[in-house]
């Protein structure tokens, strides 16, 4: 499941045409493998999530929601819906994403008080997700084709890569550095830098658990390094390969959530 999820990019050696990828990997291969492990584990998935938002004065807010996700193909088109349940001011809000290939993702937000389906424009993808320190793009994942990559360092435990946007006028960062854990091939830290070379935003993975054989991020944190404040994301009741039908990933489900598929079980 996308762990946003979270916001964040299963242990595995990927096999292509029956041959394992060699130990020497290009930066692009590393990033693409990490993206598959972080966002495409299983054919579909469900989880309960909680965000704890802490501002720069220590005040906290909480958001609870359930995520449903289905892949149309690994590394390709993907459907996701997030159904908010708490607190009262966001209850019944629904976020829908259709992840595209080599194109901007389609994103919508259903606002129940207004009975309004609002389309999230491409220009708003790097803005706050329901008041948290995560961006809309963090939740659905940034298309790896939008950036170029180089390997900064490598040791027995990790790769450290640098990502530079191909269209710098379309984002607020100049570049970012991502640490990918070799054991799980998951990104465990991403730090974003501005035009002055100052770190201003940081994602950290705090816990990885194995769920149905898939190493999965279950606790992460996004921090504002300039103004202070942070948002922690925690996941529970994660389940893969539950057979979600295509029909629930539709505009109809924004107003009429699929209750049968939102029942959480251990």
């Amino acid at each position: 499941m996308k762990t946003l999820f979270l916001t964040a990019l299963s242990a595995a050696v990927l096999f292509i045409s029956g041959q394992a990828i060699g130990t020497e990997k290009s930066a692009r291969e590393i990033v693409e493998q990490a993206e598959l492990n972080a966002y495409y584990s299983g054919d579909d998935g469900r989880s309960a999530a909680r965000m704890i938002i802490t501002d720069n004065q220590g005040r906290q807010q909480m958001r609870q929601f359930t995520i449903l996700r289905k892949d149309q193909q690994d590394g390709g088109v993907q459907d996701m819906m997030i159904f908010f349940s708490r607190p009262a001011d966001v209850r019944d809000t629904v976020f829908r994403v259709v992840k595209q290939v080599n194109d901007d993702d389609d994103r919508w937000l259903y606002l129940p008080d207004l009975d309004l389906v609002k389309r999230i424009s491409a220009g708003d993808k790097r803005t706050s997700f329901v008041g948290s320190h995560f961006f809309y793009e963090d939740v659905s994942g940034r298309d790896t084709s939008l950036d170029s990559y180089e390997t900064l360092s490598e040791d027995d435990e990790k790769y450290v890569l640098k990502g530079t946007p191909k269209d710098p006028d379309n984002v607020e960062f100049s570049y970012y550095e991502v640490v990918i854990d070799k054991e799980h091939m998951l990104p465990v830290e991403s730090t974003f830098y501005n035009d002055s070379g100052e770190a201003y935003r940081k994602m950290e993975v705090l816990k990885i658990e194995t769920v149905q054989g898939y190493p999965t991020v279950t606790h992460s944190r996004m921090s504002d390094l300039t103004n202070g404040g942070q948002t922690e994301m925690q996941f529970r009741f994660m389940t893969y390969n539950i057979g979600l039908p295509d029909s629930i990933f539709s505009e109809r489900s924004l107003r009429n959530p699929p209750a049968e598929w939102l029942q959480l079980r251990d």
Side-chain angles (χ1 to χ4, degrees), residues 57-98:
Q57 298 183 46
R59 296 172 297 195
Q60 291 189 332
Q61 302 179 60
M62 182 267 295
R63 304 274 190 266
Q64 287 188 195
F65 47 91
T66 301
I67 304 171
L68 301 179
R69 182 265 301 173
K70 184 171 185 176
D71 305 335
Q72 300 303 321
Q73 66 180 91
D74 280 351
V77 176
Q78 180 184 74
D79 291 298
M80 173 188 286
M81 298 193 79
I82 298 178
F83 301 87
F84 287 83
S85 55
R86 295 182 183 179
D89 62 341
V90 298
R91 183 181 297 129
D92 298 327
T93 298
V94 184
F95 178 50
R96 179 188 176 201
V97 183
V98 179

Side-chain angles (χ1 to χ4, degrees), residues 98-107 125 143 145-146:
V98 179
K99 188 174 181 66
Q100 305 292 354
V101 179
N102 298 323
D103 199 358
D104 286 322
D105 296 349
D106 296 313
R107 300 176 177 89
K125 64 186 178 182
D143 188 340
S145 69
L146 296 176

Side-chain angles (χ1 to χ4, degrees), residues 177-240:
E177 294 181 1
V178 57
V179 178
I180 296 176
D181 168 53
K182 282 189 172 182
E183 179 183 0
H184 304 111
M185 282 305 295
L186 287 169
V188 294
E189 184 177 296
S190 297
T191 306
F192 293 82
Y193 295 84
N194 60 25
D195 291 337
S196 300
E198 299 170 329
Y200 70 94
R201 192 166 181 264
K202 186 174 187 176
M203 184 283 299
E204 300 166 277
V205 167
L206 305 179
K207 188 174 184 179
I208 296 173
E209 298 181 59
T210 300
V211 179
Q212 295 173 234
Y214 301 105
T216 303
V217 174
T218 58
H219 191 181
S220 63
R221 177 172 59 217
M222 186 70 76
S223 301
D224 183 336
L225 304 181
T226 301
N227 301 312
Q230 63 180 37
T231 297
E232 291 194 26
M233 187 92 76
Q234 301 170 343
F235 296 91
R236 299 183 304 155
F237 306 114
M238 306 190 76
T239 311
Y240 295 107

